[in-house]
Amino acid sequence: MTKDIKIAIIGVGGVGKAFLGQLASYIKKNSSTVSISVVYISRSSAALISRDYAPLPLTTFVSEELDAAGTAPLAVPDLIQFLKSSGKESILVDNTSSIDLASTYPEFLKAGIHIATPNKKGFSSEESLWTAIFSAAGNNGGSGGYVFHEATVGAGLPVISTIKDLVDTGDEVTKVEGVFSGTMSFLFNEFAPVGASGAPKAFSEVVKIAKDAGYTEPDPRDDLNGLDVARKLTILARLSGLEIASPTSFPVQSLIPKPLESAATSQEFMDGLPNFDADIGLLADEAKKEGKVIRFVGSIDVPSKAVKVGLEKFDISHPIAGLKGSDNIIAFYTKRYGDRALIVQGAGAGAEVTAMGVLSDVIKIVARIK
Amino acid sequence: MTKDIKIAIIGVGGVGKAFLGQLASYIKKNSSTVSISVVYISRSSAALISRDYAPLPLTTFVSEELDAAGTAPLAVPDLIQFLKSSGKESILVDNTSSIDLASTYPEFLKAGIHIATPNKKGFSSEESLWTAIFSAAGNNGGSGGYVFHEATVGAGLPVISTIKDLVDTGDEVTKVEGVFSGTMSFLFNEFAPVGASGAPKAFSEVVKIAKDAGYTEPDPRDDLNGLDVARKLTILARLSGLEIASPTSFPVQSLIPKPLESAATSQEFMDGLPNFDADIGLLADEAKKEGKVIRFVGSIDVPSKAVKVGLEKFDISHPIAGLKGSDNIIAFYTKRYGDRALIVQGAGAGAEVTAMGVLSDVIKIVARIK
């Protein structure tokens, strides 16, 4: 008996395109055991809709085609109705970072539609949305659709699945600590490398290198404000059992100098940044005198319910200090694992590895569908 | 609709006891969504059998009870018949290290019975058994039972699930490298620590410390022969797509000095070991002169199909050199992750973390059962 599953995909940016490529290969390779048809692909302005539920071609797909198709995207209630009317199990893949779309997850789930997504917004915004999503979902035995979001933290790294396995098997997570942003990882591995000799680079210089290489958001302030890390910490803290009102309900250190918060453009921000190199340089020097380096980390202390994001000093022998490139590192301390953490490390950003996290979620949903 | 699942457990040693404790908590906590009954528990000499499929009590269970019960264990065909006759989905949990039991997995799977196990034998012995298991299993869309074996490598660490996610989503594993034995990790982290000063300990002395602390098998030769690591490498190489005839079909370095292989008892072996301290001491000294340390590692190079197990030298800044305690470290190099590995690290042995790996497999099977 071959499973017959319909997929709707929203978002065709870098991750969305990589996902379409990987999904096309997966569908081809597994066609003898499962029949997966992508019946809807949309971006903000346009959509391809297969009204008869025949599979849309994926191999030749480019976003230009989407625009050329000229169909307006369906409103959420219409998309839900469209998927339900197929009479088959269906999956929504949300490859956007839209809070508006994430806010409608409960409606999809209640309709029995499954969700796989790297979009952090649904899981890291107001607590009421988190509760609404998991009340509606079928993950814990309910009748709703399944929702999986591995790629919301660490892209394709096994982070969400690991913390879920720990908690589900009855372990107690006591502390989570790590570097959760590829951009922040790169900035500090370059700015304050272990065993550096010679004149150090200025922080503004490193930000410029990262920006030019495409390692930052178009406006680097969207990385430097710490909110991306705060959202990831919110998700892991909630999975550890803590109630977190929002990603701004705990201390988050912003690396944007106060006077530059209001800079009108990212260029104005970049032009002003060298004026503040002395401040962060001083912190790095202080750490160096203690045999340490500074890193931008997040931590969750479960017993004291303390969540925080910001700069910390680490001994140069600490795994967090030794990180390279733009790698993430996530250390889970639990009752069973005791003093020595369970550690996951590797690339935590990039279109292909993020898409891989989303596809592995789709595969898990397919496996759960009879 | 509450799922109704029957479980048979074979093996009540350290891992088996820890598993029973964790399972009892899981059953209690999830009783509103799933009904799990342990209907069979056995050790080599005795069994508890619930002929009417009512749940056996788990909280008060001790192995003495098992012996006192006085029932002989069921032969495999009878156990299969007993589980099938329940009319419910059922799971075999094999907490033994028996090759005889592992050889019968295909029969369980063909009968639709699912399997969760930390027993390496079924997956690391002759290739024909591997093929028979996965031909019979329903993991890839067939009609047989599901088989999961996370705890066969790295205990509860996400190793098997990670390599499966990589391969299933279409990534290509190019190389796997790491320290796969808690015992070997401890021995070399103690014998050749990074940054050691003062007189080093003799290797035989470290083996004695490890044996006295219960970190080795009763006869340390069962660790030092490298076969445990070779079995884990066999599993990962097969999951990476290589054909491996058996765990002795590639180079495996034994740390047992030739003349001591035939020592009649483990005591005779321990008494003779100091005579060979000079040899391994020389290797450690040579490495030290190059700024390196020696570690007992396994590696799989997929393009060249080269699998090997033995001592290698690592620069002191290498993550493998910096390992602590009895931690495992497993580095996956893939096409998508490029030069920087996806790394999983942490305790890779111990009853509680091994049992956790088995229970997380049971939970995954339960999620896949409708």
Side-chain angles (χ1 to χ4, degrees):
Chain A
M1 185 186 62
T2 306
K3 296 178 191 181
D4 190 352
I5 295 162
K6 308 302 179 191
I7 296 190
I9 300 169
I10 303 182
V12 289
V15 172
K17 283 208 183 72
F19 175 78
L20 280 165
Q22 293 182 19
L23 180 66
S25 303
Y26 177 80
I27 290 175
K28 202 170 164 187
K29 203 171 160 190
N30 294 275
S31 58
S32 65
T33 56
V34 57
S35 166
I36 296 178
S37 310
V38 175
V39 295
Y40 182 88
I41 305 175
S42 75
R43 60 193 301 181
S44 49
S45 52
L48 291 171
I49 309 174
S50 172
R51 289 283 174 192
D52 62 355
Y53 304 105
L56 295 169
L58 297 183
T59 42
T60 62
F61 173 81
V62 283
S63 49
E64 288 71 30
E65 245 181 86
L66 239 182
D67 286 340
T71 312
L74 294 175
V76 163
D78 297 332
L79 178 56
I80 291 173
Q81 195 49 53
F82 168 66
L83 291 172
K84 284 196 72 170
S85 300
S86 72
K88 307 292 180 188
E89 296 268 2
S90 60
I91 304 172
L92 168 72
V93 177
D94 170 15
N95 284 330
T96 75
S97 58
S98 158
I99 177 65
D100 290 343
L101 182 55
S103 300
T104 67
Y105 289 172
E107 296 168 45
F108 283 92
L109 296 168
K110 277 181 208 155
I113 298 163
H114 313 289
I115 297 174
T117 183
N119 181 356
K120 289 184 277 291
K121 299 287 166 59
F123 313 94
S124 63
S125 301
E126 300 302 312
E127 198 166 16
S128 54
L129 180 55
W130 169 276
T131 307
I133 289 170
F134 288 101
S135 304
N139 293 40
N140 301 311
S143 60
Y146 301 116
V147 57
F148 286 86
H149 57 101
E150 182 61 73
T152 53
V153 182
L157 298 176
V159 176
I160 302 291
S161 54
T162 296
I163 196 167
K164 275 192 181 170
D165 280 350
L166 289 165
V167 171
D168 287 351
T169 60
D171 202 355
E172 283 171 40
V173 178
T174 53
K175 187 177 154 187
V176 182
E177 183 182 49
V179 172
F180 295 88
S181 154
T183 310
M184 289 294 200
S185 183
F186 177 84
L187 291 179
F188 287 93
N189 298 343
E190 284 289 309
F191 175 58
V194 168
S197 56
K201 287 193 191 90
F203 188 68
S204 62
E205 197 183 333
V206 178
V207 174
K208 189 172 182 316
I209 292 168
K211 184 177 190 299
D212 292 347
Y215 293 167
T216 69
E217 296 293 323
D219 187 333
R221 285 176 292 186
D222 291 337
D223 294 298
L224 295 173
N225 65 13
L227 187 59
D228 171 73
V229 178
R231 288 194 174 275
K232 292 168 181 166
L233 269 281
T234 299
I235 296 171
L236 294 179
R238 285 172 176 169
L239 289 172
S240 304
L242 295 183
E243 292 183 3
I244 306 291
S246 81
T248 53
S249 65
F250 50 85
V252 178
Q253 183 181 3
S254 168
L255 297 184
I256 306 170
K258 272 268 173 235
L260 296 182
E261 282 176 355
S262 54
T265 63
S266 71
Q267 191 53 54
E268 194 182 318
F269 167 73
M270 291 299 290
D271 290 344
L273 198 56
N275 299 328
F276 301 88
D277 279 336
D279 301 350
I280 196 162
L282 200 67
L283 285 176
D285 287 345
E286 271 177 20
K288 207 170 179 180
K289 276 176 200 148
E290 300 171 34
K292 296 180 177 177
V293 292
I294 52 171
R295 293 290 181 265
F296 194 86
V297 297
S299 66
I300 302 163
D301 188 83
V302 179
S304 69
K305 302 182 183 178
V307 183
K308 60 180 176 177
V309 171
L311 287 175
E312 306 237 351
K313 291 184 276 191
F314 288 90
D315 194 275
I316 55 165
S317 69
H318 195 286
I320 285 181
L323 217 57
K324 299 257 170 41
S326 57
D327 277 4
N328 283 193
I329 183 169
I330 298 103
F332 300 99
Y333 293 86
T334 78
K335 204 175 159 191
R336 275 185 206 138
Y337 278 89
D339 290 343
R340 310 227 22 89
L342 187 173
I343 294 172
V344 176
Q345 183 179 331
E352 287 294 335
V353 294
T354 304
M356 171 203 145
V358 182
L359 181 56
S360 74
D361 281 348
V362 167
I363 295 171
K364 286 181 180 79
I365 292 169
V366 170
R368 280 164 172 74
I369 295 174
K370 261 278 151 56
Chain B
M1 186 185 61
T2 305
K3 297 178 189 180
D4 189 352
I5 295 161
K6 308 301 180 192
I7 296 190
I9 300 169
I10 303 183
V12 290
V15 172
K17 283 208 183 73
F19 175 78
L20 281 165
Q22 292 182 18
L23 181 65
S25 302
Y26 177 79
I27 290 174
K28 204 170 161 187
K29 204 171 158 191
N30 295 275
S31 58
S32 65
T33 55
V34 56
S35 167
I36 296 178
S37 309
V38 175
V39 296
Y40 181 88
I41 305 176
S42 76
R43 59 194 299 179
S44 50
S45 53
L48 291 171
I49 310 173
S50 173
R51 289 285 175 190
D52 61 355
Y53 304 104
L56 294 168
L58 297 183
T59 43
T60 63
F61 174 80
V62 284
S63 49
E64 288 71 28
E65 243 181 88
L66 239 183
D67 286 339
T71 311
L74 295 175
V76 163
D78 297 332
L79 178 56
I80 290 173
Q81 195 50 53
F82 168 67
L83 290 173
K84 283 197 72 170
S85 300
S86 72
K88 307 291 181 188
E89 297 268 2
S90 60
I91 304 172
L92 168 71
V93 177
D94 170 14
N95 284 329
T96 75
S97 57
S98 159
I99 177 67
D100 290 343
L101 182 54
S103 301
T104 67
Y105 289 172
E107 296 168 44
F108 283 93
L109 296 168
K110 276 180 210 155
I113 297 164
H114 313 288
I115 297 174
T117 183
N119 180 356
K120 287 183 279 290
K121 299 288 165 58
F123 313 95
S124 63
S125 300
E126 300 303 312
E127 197 166 17
S128 55
L129 180 54
W130 169 276
T131 307
I133 289 170
F134 287 101
S135 303
N139 294 39
N140 301 313
S143 61
Y146 301 116
V147 57
F148 286 86
H149 56 102
E150 182 62 73
T152 54
V153 182
L157 298 176
V159 176
I160 302 291
S161 54
T162 296
I163 197 167
K164 276 192 182 171
D165 280 350
L166 289 166
V167 172
D168 288 349
T169 59
D171 203 355
E172 283 172 38
V173 178
T174 52
K175 186 176 154 188
V176 182
E177 182 183 48
V179 172
F180 295 88
S181 154
T183 310
M184 289 295 199
S185 183
F186 177 85
L187 291 178
F188 287 92
N189 298 342
E190 285 289 308
F191 174 58
V194 168
S197 55
K201 289 192 191 92
F203 187 68
S204 63
E205 197 184 331
V206 178
V207 174
K208 190 173 181 315
I209 292 168
K211 184 176 190 299
D212 292 347
Y215 293 167
T216 69
E217 297 293 321
D219 187 332
R221 285 176 293 185
D222 292 335
D223 295 298
L224 295 173
N225 64 13
L227 188 58
D228 170 72
V229 177
R231 286 195 175 277
K232 291 169 182 167
L233 269 282
T234 300
I235 298 172
L236 294 180
R238 285 172 176 171
L239 289 173
S240 305
L242 295 183
E243 292 184 3
I244 305 290
S246 81
T248 54
S249 65
F250 51 85
V252 178
Q253 183 181 4
S254 168
L255 298 185
I256 306 170
K258 273 267 173 240
L260 297 181
E261 281 177 355
S262 55
T265 63
S266 70
Q267 191 54 55
E268 196 182 315
F269 167 73
M270 292 299 289
D271 291 344
L273 198 56
N275 299 329
F276 301 88
D277 280 336
D279 301 349
I280 196 162
L282 201 66
L283 285 177
D285 287 346
E286 272 177 20
K288 207 170 177 177
K289 275 176 203 150
E290 300 171 34
K292 296 179 177 179
V293 292
I294 52 171
R295 293 288 181 268
F296 194 86
V297 297
S299 66
I300 302 163
D301 187 83
V302 179
S304 70
K305 301 181 183 181
V307 183
K308 61 181 176 174
V309 171
L311 287 176
E312 306 237 350
K313 292 184 274 191
F314 289 89
D315 193 274
I316 56 164
S317 70
H318 195 285
I320 286 182
L323 217 57
K324 300 257 169 43
S326 57
D327 277 4
N328 284 193
I329 183 169
I330 297 103
F332 300 98
Y333 293 85
T334 78
K335 203 174 159 192
R336 272 184 209 140
Y337 279 89
D339 290 342
R340 312 230 17 93
L342 188 171
I343 294 172
V344 176
Q345 183 179 333
E352 287 293 336
V353 293
T354 304
M356 172 202 144
V358 182
L359 181 55
S360 74
D361 281 348
V362 168
I363 294 172
K364 287 182 180 79
I365 292 169
V366 170
R368 280 164 173 74
I369 296 174
K370 259 280 151 57

